[in-house]
Amino acid sequence: MKLPRKITFVSLLFLFLLFSNGQYAVSIAIWISTAMLLFAVRQLKRWQGFLFAFVMLGASYYIGFDVVPFLPTSASIMIAAIFSVFATLPYFIDALFSKKRNSFLSTLIFPTAAVFIEYVYHQFNLYGTWGHLAYTQQSQHVLLQSISVFGLGYITFLITWFASVCNWVYEQRNEWKIIRKGVLIYSLILGITLLYGGYRVQFQKSDAKTIRVASISALDSLNVHLNLPGLVNKETAKEVKMTTRKNTTRLNQNLFERSIKEAKAGAEIVFWAEGSGVILKEDETQLYKRASAVALAQNIYLGIAVAVIDPTNEKFLENKFVLFDKNGQIVIDYWKGISVPGAEAPISNNKVTGIQKTETEYGTIAGVICFDLDFPNYLKGAKGSDILLAPSNDWKDIDPIHTDMARYRAIEQGFNFIRQTNHGLSVGTDYTGEAISEMDHFTDANKVLITQIPTKGVTTIYSKIGDSFILFCLLLLIVSSIILRKRKTENKSYHSF
């Protein structure tokens, strides 16, 4: 390939990579860029290919995920570099079988390695599944139904196997009979996947009773600005506490009034977005008494998401979601399970409660908070829920990426789902991930989402078998590697299916 063509190819590759993941993702781009990058790496020596893939993937990741304003540039670069090392490893493993590519079996090396390594990376990633290839397909509703069976890794497998098959077809382009069989196998797997997805979307829709749920975000005009130094300073504590209590009372009163309004409009469940309510630790009990009285008087389930502030503790934030039943009793007392590293974790004093569920006349209800949803393993604790309530709080840079990611948990575990989001996109979905309702914090003046949500979830295959597909890919990688290694080095005239 001549230099001008190489420059054009690399430029196009990087362009597709920029649109392959993160804030600029377009679903088709990851399929094209992965195939192109695999092709490019195969044209280079092993160490050159690794370095090339590392630079391309790292640079595109940094640009695509430059969405965290509280992280310094150096930290963002480090995260991109670590991601790139893991993301490049499947290309390196594929290069180890450069003389074994005549066999269609060789097409399984790259995708199985990619699935397993990606899974390992996200087990140790402090930011959960951010950057997972499956999230690039959020607009492909039919395709995504497959994660109700095999989880996120199956989408990665389809994307990376497609890249491997495309390159195999190119390399065997003069052997049409062999090519035809390989293309047929991949097409059959993809076709079955889409048929299943279409069937689930069209014929497994919920016919259960729906109920009206109102979810509420705090008004921006009532935001409480905390003066923590003033609260702990003996000379200013009294005055600052009076001002803080005045502001939190005004904020919480508004939330209660709006909750009562929605109850009178027919809502049977009302809950608030993450941290919408703010209260000093010493006033927490009084807040719960008020919430209990509202739930009892209005005959509703009321979920208050509240930031409890304890200025005497270095880790002053307790991030809670407390659900009251129609009798005014607390049935869920949940503390956020996973705090955001770098911003929230250093100030959070959350107790480990695990995901709590409660049996109601509307089915089994569970609750989690925002960042918890980025961890599929953690959300396995919501297994068996019919409705999941998820108070959340984002910022504009990750809107709507973060909400789109959260929908995947509904498909995986089979619950109906509402994510009420301060400073982001709020959404209600059924257990297929299909949006029932949406509300954009930045354009909706009322900050209220109304959802007619089904009261019955489903039991998914994934909720039963978990990440068995990851183990299957690891086994397939090992078996394929052994078989290919045992074969003699292939010459140009040797072809094996």
Side-chain angles (χ1 to χ4, degrees), residues 250-262:
R250 183 178 60 173
L251 169 67
N252 297 330
Q253 177 63 23
N254 177 267
L255 288 165
F256 282 125
E257 289 174 355
R258 293 162 67 199
S259 299
I260 292 170
K261 178 181 177 181
E262 295 304 328

Side-chain angles (χ1 to χ4, degrees), residues 23-317:
Q23 58 187 322
Y24 308 116
V26 178
S27 62
I28 190 64
I30 188 69
W31 299 78
I32 298 172
S33 65
T34 306
M36 291 179 68
L37 183 57
L38 184 61
F39 173 81
V41 170
R42 287 184 174 184
Q43 309 311 306
L44 302 169
K45 293 180 180 179
R46 197 172 294 164
W47 69 269
Q48 291 175 331
F50 182 88
L51 184 60
F52 178 77
F54 173 80
V55 172
M56 297 294 280
L57 290 170
S60 59
Y61 182 91
Y62 175 79
I63 295 171
F65 287 96
D66 185 23
V67 295
V68 188
F70 52 80
L71 282 181
T73 301
S74 58
S76 296
I77 292 174
M78 181 64 69
I79 291 170
I82 294 172
F83 168 86
S84 188
V85 168
F86 280 88
T88 303
L89 283 176
Y91 295 88
F92 180 79
I93 293 172
D94 175 80
L96 298 176
F97 296 86
S98 59
K99 297 180 180 180
K100 309 287 185 178
R101 291 187 184 135
N102 286 355
S103 170
F104 184 72
L105 182 64
S106 68
T107 66
L108 294 174
I109 296 296
F110 179 64
T112 52
V115 169
F116 179 70
I117 291 171
E118 183 179 45
Y119 177 80
V120 171
Y121 167 74
H122 287 295
Q123 299 310 299
F124 294 99
N125 182 16
L126 295 177
Y127 293 91
T129 49
W130 274 89
H132 200 290
L133 294 192
Y135 293 135
T136 66
Q137 303 303 298
Q138 61 86 17
S139 63
Q140 304 305 304
H141 189 54
V142 171
L143 177 64
L144 291 184
Q145 300 312 305
S146 60
I147 69 175
S148 69
V149 181
F150 296 125
L152 296 179
Y154 184 69
I155 304 297
T156 296
F157 179 80
L158 290 177
I159 293 170
T160 50
W161 194 24
F162 173 80
S164 190
V165 170
C166 285
N167 278 270
W168 178 78
V169 167
Y170 175 77
E171 292 163 1
Q172 311 300 320
R173 55 191 176 277
N174 296 322
E175 301 293 331
W176 173 241
K177 288 184 178 179
I178 300 294
I179 290 173
R180 184 169 55 186
K181 291 181 181 179
V183 171
L184 180 61
I185 290 174
Y186 181 84
S187 299
L188 185 63
I189 297 298
L190 181 60
I192 291 172
T193 301
L194 295 176
L195 282 173
Y196 169 76
Y199 173 79
R200 191 169 192 262
V201 169
Q202 292 297 321
F203 300 107
Q204 290 191 338
K205 289 183 177 180
S206 176
D207 58 358
K209 171 190 173 184
T210 64
I211 59 168
R212 182 183 174 100
V213 179
S215 43
I216 300 172
S217 294
L219 299 178
D220 293 338
S221 60
L222 297 178
N223 282 347
V224 175
H225 299 284
L226 294 171
N227 180 1
L228 287 170
L231 285 168
V232 296
N233 188 319
K234 292 181 180 180
E235 295 180 0
T236 61
K238 183 176 181 180
E239 181 180 350
V240 173
K241 186 177 291 185
M242 288 179 59
T243 301
T244 302
R245 185 169 285 132
K246 176 183 176 181
N247 291 336
T248 57
T249 299
R250 183 178 60 173
L251 169 67
N252 297 330
Q253 177 63 23
N254 177 267
L255 288 165
F256 282 125
E257 289 174 355
R258 293 162 67 199
S259 299
I260 292 170
K261 178 181 177 181
E262 295 304 328
K264 290 181 177 179
E268 294 169 279
I269 299 174
V270 179
F271 76 99
W272 305 348
E274 178 186 11
S276 284
V278 180
I279 198 73
L280 292 173
K281 182 67 176 177
E282 60 194 79
D283 298 330
E284 183 181 10
T285 301
Q286 291 301 316
L287 180 73
Y288 293 162
K289 287 181 179 179
R290 177 71 195 281
S292 173
V294 170
L296 179 63
Q298 301 301 320
N299 195 35
I300 59 170
Y301 284 83
L302 176 62
I304 64 170
V306 58
V308 180
I309 307 301
D310 182 2
T312 65
N313 194 327
E314 183 179 355
K315 293 188 172 185
F316 58 85
L317 174 64

